[in-house]
Amino acid sequence: MSGVVGKDGTGAEREEDPAVLARVEEIYRAILTRAPEHDFEPTLDRVRQVCELLGDPNKAFRTFHLAGTNGKTSTARMIESLVRAMGLRTGRFTSPHLVDVRERIVIDGEPISASGFVAAWEDVEPFIAMVDEKSLAAGGPRLSFFEVFTVMALAAFADAPVDVAVIEVGMGGLWDATNVVDADVAVILPVAQDHEQWLGDSLTDIANEKVGIIKPGAAVVAAEQVEEVDGVLTSAAATAGSRILEEERDFSVVEREVAVGGQVITVATSAATYAEIPLPLFGEHQARNAGVALAAVEEFFGGGALPADVVEEGFMEVRSPGRLEVVRTSPTVIVDAAHNPHGAAALRVAIEEAFSLRTVVGVFAAMADKNVEGILVELEPLMDEIVVTGMDSVRAMDPADLADLAREVFGEDRVHVERRLADAVDRAAGIAERDGGPAGTAGVLVAGSVVLAGAVRRLFGRE
């Protein structure tokens, strides 16, 4: 296919062929008519049926499978980068996307091309139609938005072909569409409260959904968990006959130091100590994600130490757009996809550690089905004032309702409302710089939703 190819802020390939790009948009809009990714039935039957008709692409490569409440996408990026540094072809499936839907399906470190996206859809569409028809005839639904994208990713990876796929669950684990893969390594990131209306009200209920990705004989690598989650995790691993490696017992970040553009970390595993690794990401939570990634990749390759140059190369290449990403200076504008209280708490600690800001003004929007008050409570000690706004999603909380919640947490005088995102960012920047102060000490923090993070990246030309 002809056309100019360049790089955008997410690393996505940009193909300036209007016909192909229009076809991508047409396909995406058609898939959007299906049930949304947060609305699913607890069954894998439809995805399994399509995979069987396609010749089981889910069995065509080895797999890392990631579940957990926060950190999945960043850790998936780290795992994939390390595996590529070891010389293998990789696929990565994550969700949701920030700017371009093609970010969800990544091959060899790059989002799938527009032509590749179209080809993946055309390969799977006849079989999806067959399973849709069968399901509808039995009184069931069509494949959901997320089920379709899962099938497309698996087919694209098998067609590439990749050696290894790094696959992030959409929600939960046990009944997630991605659970048609049998992972070599199941990775469980920290489990916290989120998606309670679908996964259950207690941490034990949520954990039981997450550990559903552990298959018989698979290795398990787990971030540090609270006690009730740890019990569920160790029981599930024992039932599956799986070897389990746990943070702080089998691997840990033993030292870390803030550096320009990120941090330098030292990680100890049962196989080796990897000293002074540059990691171009901010926050203790990202250092711990790196420890999980390193332990998982060690286990995938047999449990021995990885070459030091591979580890350094793998981590140096990692980028995680929309995660503590600086999109502007003067004032500093930082965007983060934190969308639950656990993520907001990690964000607050990371900002306080990595940025010398005297004034922080928030720009905030959130989905109505989230624990919005819990997120605001975590962010309140960090933010001097907050501007609430809207975003393009049917699930988004109305700014007026959001403002009411924010006033309960921040007080009347610290809350402002701007329905348009551009106006919200402008107002926050004005407030942040209102009192003058040394250069580099005024900051705007945009957080509350992945959709919001993507919108801000577009606003600042990070497409």
Side-chain angles (χ1 to χ4, degrees):
M1 189 184 83
S2 62
V4 178
V5 178
K7 296 285 186 177
D8 67 16
T10 65
E13 184 180 278
R14 187 175 70 247
E15 297 177 2
E16 298 177 352
D17 184 322
V20 179
L21 292 173
R23 179 62 177 144
V24 169
E25 183 67 14
E26 179 185 11
I27 293 167
Y28 178 45
R29 293 299 168 191
I31 299 172
L32 278 173
T33 65
R34 295 171 177 270
E37 52 196 309
H38 64 278
D39 182 11
F40 65 96
E41 288 192 349
T43 178
L44 299 176
D45 289 347
R46 290 181 297 276
V47 176
R48 283 199 177 113
Q49 289 168 25
V50 178
C51 285
E52 288 171 2
L53 291 169
L54 286 166
D56 293 322
N58 50 312
K59 300 177 182 179
F61 37 77
R62 300 181 67 190
T63 308
F64 292 85
H65 201 184
L66 289 78
T69 303
N70 290 302
K72 296 187 296 295
T73 297
S74 292
T75 306
R77 287 175 173 271
M78 295 178 194
I79 290 172
E80 185 209 19
S81 189
L82 288 167
V83 172
R84 279 193 290 113
M86 290 289 286
L88 298 182
R89 293 203 72 191
T90 58
R92 186 180 78 234
F93 181 55
T94 57
S95 61
H97 59 278
L98 282 171
V99 176
D100 188 322
V101 68
R102 292 180 290 133
E103 297 165 31
R104 294 172 180 249
I105 303 173
V106 173
I107 297 173
D108 288 335
E110 296 292 338
I112 191 169
S113 67
S115 55
F117 183 93
V118 172
W121 167 250
E122 291 177 348
D123 285 345
V124 304
E125 192 276 334
F127 304 104
I128 288 172
M130 290 170 62
V131 174
D132 280 346
E133 184 179 1
K134 180 179 177 182
S135 179
L136 290 168
R142 299 188 300 162
L143 271 76
S144 70
F145 174 97
F146 188 72
E147 288 173 329
V148 169
F149 269 99
T150 298
V151 169
M152 286 177 64
L154 297 174
F157 295 159
D159 186 61
V162 305
D163 301 305
V164 182
V166 183
I167 296 177
E168 171 191 326
V169 304
M171 183 166 59
L174 179 61
W175 299 113
D176 188 77
T178 63
N179 208 25
V180 295
V181 301
D182 291 329
D184 296 80
V185 182
V187 179
I188 310 294
L189 280 305
V191 175
Q193 296 282 356
D194 200 11
H195 300 301
E196 292 94 334
Q197 57 270 60
W198 294 287
L199 303 182
D201 294 327
S202 72
L203 282 178
T204 300
D205 289 340
I206 295 170
N208 274 311
E209 291 292 327
K210 308 286 188 185
V211 300
I213 69 169
I214 300 173
K215 304 296 174 59
V220 181
V221 176
E224 187 175 22
Q225 309 287 347
V226 298
E227 185 175 353
E228 58 263 51
V229 172
D230 190 59
V232 173
L233 178 58
T234 54
S235 176
T239 299
S242 297
R243 165 179 162 83
I244 182 169
L245 300 177
E246 298 183 90
E247 186 180 9
E248 299 303 332
R249 186 192 71 182
D250 300 295
F251 62 91
S252 63
V253 177
V254 296
E255 190 174 346
R256 52 185 294 271
E257 182 179 351
V258 177
V260 175
Q263 57 193 307
V264 176
I265 64 174
T266 296
V267 177
T269 70
S270 56
T273 296
Y274 302 90
E276 298 184 351
I277 307 165
L279 181 66
L281 301 172
F282 296 106
E284 180 186 4
H285 61 295
Q286 294 289 23
R288 298 182 76 157
N289 289 340
V292 172
L294 191 49
V297 176
E298 274 190 350
E299 190 66 14
F300 181 84
F301 285 103
L306 302 177
D309 59 335
V310 165
V311 173
E312 182 167 345
E313 176 188 345
F315 282 125
M316 280 294 291
E317 292 295 318
V318 171
R319 300 293 182 272
S320 199
R323 277 77 179 174
L324 274 168
E325 181 182 11
V326 177
V327 295
R328 174 183 163 181
T329 57
S330 189
T332 302
V333 178
I334 304 164
V335 59
D336 193 89
H339 57 277
N340 54 48
H342 184 268
L347 169 62
R348 172 172 46 80
V349 171
I351 291 285
E352 291 170 343
E353 174 190 75
F355 296 88
S356 301
L357 300 174
R358 293 187 181 182
T359 303
V360 177
V361 180
V363 173
F364 186 83
M367 299 300 182
D369 53 24
K370 292 291 184 177
N371 180 0
V372 178
E373 184 175 4
I375 302 170
L376 291 169
V377 166
E378 291 293 349
L379 294 176
E380 186 275 333
L382 174 66
M383 295 176 174
D384 296 275
E385 300 182 41
I386 188 169
V387 183
V388 300
T389 190
M391 55 184 174
D392 185 17
S393 172
V394 295
R395 293 169 55 205
M397 179 174 282
D398 184 88
D401 297 331
L402 196 53
D404 289 339
L405 275 178
R407 291 184 186 106
E408 293 179 7
V409 176
F410 284 75
E412 185 78 28
D413 295 341
R414 295 167 63 195
V415 178
H416 313 275
V417 182
E418 293 287 352
R419 287 189 170 269
R420 291 182 64 252
L421 177 59
D423 294 338
V425 173
D426 284 345
R427 186 164 184 182
I431 296 169
E433 295 185 309
R434 180 176 55 202
D435 298 326
T441 62
V444 173
L445 173 61
V446 187
S449 170
V450 178
V451 172
L452 180 67
V456 173
R457 296 189 86 255
R458 286 191 294 273
L459 184 66
F460 284 94
R462 298 299 179 102
E463 298 190 62

